[in-house]
Amino acid sequence: MRPRWLLLCGLTLLALVIAGVLLSWRAAIPAIAPPPRSTFSAQEIARGRALAALGDCMACHTAGGGRPLAGGRAIQTPFGSVFSTNITPDRKTGIGTWSLDALRRAMRQGIARDGTHLYPAFPYDHFAQTSGTDIAALYAYLMTREQVSAPAPHNRLLPPFDIRTLLAGWNFLYFHRNPFRSDRTKSTGWNRGAYLVETLGHCGACHTPHNAFGAEKMHRVLDGGMAEDWYAPPLNYRSPAPEPWTAKEIATYLRTGMDLHHGAAVGPMRRVTQSLGAAPPADVTAIAIYVASLMPRKPAMRGQMAAQAPQAAAIFMGACAGCHESSRWPSLANSTTLAEDSPRDTLEILLHGIPWRPDGFYMPPFAATLDDARIAELANFLRARFAGHAPWSDALSQARGIRKEASDH
């Protein structure tokens, strides 16, 4: 019986391997010569430029100090680093030999022109719902950019996540996006915003929690998640904002990176607002209308915690009050960040500050002047005084972790 059992196990394993290979295999789409600019109309190229801004393509596909859209930026994941690819029309290192069908397959199925699987750090699970006309406009825009020769660095992923064929299994388990459908009971602006948030905007990629394999938890859409070590707060009924965001305030924040009533964009969101600043105002307003409709109409419940931390109070009066008790700067009393369940964003801001903005707003970093204990104490003081909530129990450990991450990088 033992030889038969071993033979059966071997045949079963072989069948699974063959099935996995067949499931993951995709044919290459034939290469083409880069189409001349005259192939596309000026209107289509302009539309593609606007859609690229709404999708924040530049932020991920441009390395620090690198050429626009030439890739090379490291996208940090729990499994290691994935480097963005060159999406200029360079023949050898970019997408110059890609047809429209190749781009369409990449965006809707996560399969490159040569048939290899793309990592979901490229959010094709959102892009899959993008309309054919929008993909064609993006293609027109990308294929008319300056050609840049820039091969992408090799990804640095922990094994076995560096085996691309395993992504076929990931897609089988987690890639189940239905086509976008408009809601006839809602306005045109609301539907446009919903489409952009769910597709090109891929807001859920950051603002939705992920499971152990990096897939979005679809039963908790926009419930809040992590993005490049920053906490992305909920954009739905769980929003911690002490005062409800209006559509007008959201639109201002998305276009400028600042709303005096709620705060400034920091971390990855700062790059998003820089892209959206170049997007059509009507589309940004539509996004704001949709997101505002998901959020609560009533203020979040405030606690009654007393701010009893004399040393933190002294630090606040000496280093913070001069700006934050002025009407020129964002009000801490309405800060969404201080009301979040996680201290992550508050600690990141205190440690690393906010870079200079075109409007002159700036916050200095305190990593060099305050140790982790003082940073954690100040964060909890601000939370108690302005949000009325109990201290974060993990503020000190997270402050230490953030400082260590910064030194490791």
Side-chain angles (χ1 to χ4, degrees):
M1 292 295 293
R2 184 176 180 82
R4 290 183 180 180
W5 181 82
L6 290 174
L7 177 62
L8 180 61
C9 288
L11 290 174
T12 301
L13 179 60
L14 178 61
L16 289 173
V17 170
I18 293 173
V21 171
L22 292 175
L23 182 65
S24 64
W25 182 82
R26 293 291 187 276
I29 293 177
I32 65 167
R37 188 181 185 90
S38 59
T39 305
F40 313 105
S41 69
Q43 292 81 3
E44 193 172 30
I45 295 172
R47 177 176 171 80
R49 183 190 301 276
L51 293 169
L54 289 163
D56 201 22
C57 302
M58 193 74 72
C60 285
H61 287 277
T62 304
R67 303 281 289 279
L69 302 176
R73 181 171 179 269
I75 310 298
Q76 303 300 328
T77 78
F79 318 105
S81 299
V82 176
F83 288 88
S84 62
T85 53
N86 182 345
I87 56 173
T88 74
D90 182 67
R91 290 180 183 229
K92 292 184 178 180
T93 64
I95 60 171
T97 60
W98 287 41
S99 63
L100 174 57
D101 285 341
L103 181 64
R104 185 183 295 115
R105 184 173 73 169
M107 292 189 66
R108 289 184 171 173
Q109 299 179 37
I111 306 295
R113 187 199 66 77
D114 62 2
T116 57
H117 286 261
L118 299 173
Y119 285 99
F122 174 71
Y124 58 85
D125 52 337
H126 286 273
F127 297 160
Q129 303 177 82
T130 307
S131 71
T133 54
D134 281 353
I135 293 177
L138 276 170
Y139 182 75
Y141 170 69
L142 294 175
M143 299 305 280
T144 53
R145 298 307 91 203
E146 179 186 1
Q147 297 182 27
V148 179
S149 178
H154 292 293
N155 297 324
R156 294 198 289 265
L157 294 167
L158 299 172
F161 303 107
D162 54 348
I163 303 174
R164 286 183 182 266
T165 53
L166 294 180
L167 291 167
W170 189 93
N171 289 338
F172 178 78
L173 292 172
Y174 303 118
F175 182 30
H176 305 295
R177 292 279 182 173
N178 296 318
F180 176 81
R181 297 186 184 280
S182 297
D183 186 339
R184 295 182 179 180
T185 67
K186 303 294 186 180
S187 68
T188 301
W190 187 96
N191 276 293
R192 176 64 175 168
Y195 168 77
L196 292 172
V197 165
E198 294 178 22
T199 61
L200 290 172
H202 60 282
C203 302
C206 293
H207 290 274
T208 295
H210 292 68
N211 65 21
F213 294 100
E216 293 177 30
K217 297 181 179 180
M218 299 311 294
H219 63 291
R220 296 186 58 193
V221 173
L222 301 181
D223 261 2
M226 294 297 296
E228 300 178 44
D229 297 329
W230 288 78
Y231 179 65
L235 299 180
N236 56 18
Y237 69 95
R238 296 187 63 247
S239 169
E243 294 294 331
W245 285 79
T246 66
K248 183 178 180 181
E249 289 168 342
I250 294 173
T252 299
Y253 175 84
L254 292 177
R255 281 197 297 266
T256 68
M258 168 80 80
D259 175 68
L260 285 176
H261 196 59
H262 291 278
V266 291
M269 195 63 203
R270 179 180 172 87
R271 293 195 303 271
V272 172
T273 60
Q274 289 170 342
S275 291
L276 291 178
D283 281 337
V284 178
T285 297
I287 292 172
I289 290 171
Y290 174 68
V291 173
S293 75
L294 304 179
M295 291 184 168
R297 298 295 190 275
K298 296 181 179 179
M301 292 296 293
R302 290 180 184 267
Q304 299 296 324
M305 298 299 298
Q308 298 176 350
Q311 191 167 13
I315 294 172
F316 173 77
M317 291 305 298
C320 312
C323 290
H324 285 289
E325 292 191 348
S326 164
S327 60
R328 291 188 59 213
W329 308 122
S331 168
L332 293 179
N334 294 317
S335 170
T336 300
T337 303
L338 290 175
E340 291 172 354
D341 292 337
S342 169
R344 184 89 197 186
D345 291 352
T346 298
L347 295 169
E348 287 273 11
I349 294 170
L350 289 175
L351 283 165
H352 302 136
I354 299 175
W356 283 102
R357 292 169 40 87
D359 56 12
F361 178 75
Y362 165 75
M363 177 175 160
F366 293 106
T369 54
L370 298 176
D371 61 22
D372 295 331
R374 300 290 79 76
I375 288 286
E377 186 180 358
L378 178 59
N380 280 326
F381 168 81
L382 296 174
R383 179 171 167 83
R385 173 170 174 174
F386 293 102
H389 291 309
W392 287 297
S393 60
D394 58 344
L396 180 55
S397 62
Q398 288 225 32
R400 289 170 175 163
I402 293 170
R403 195 186 293 269
K404 183 178 184 300
E405 290 164 8
S407 63
D408 289 344
H409 292 328

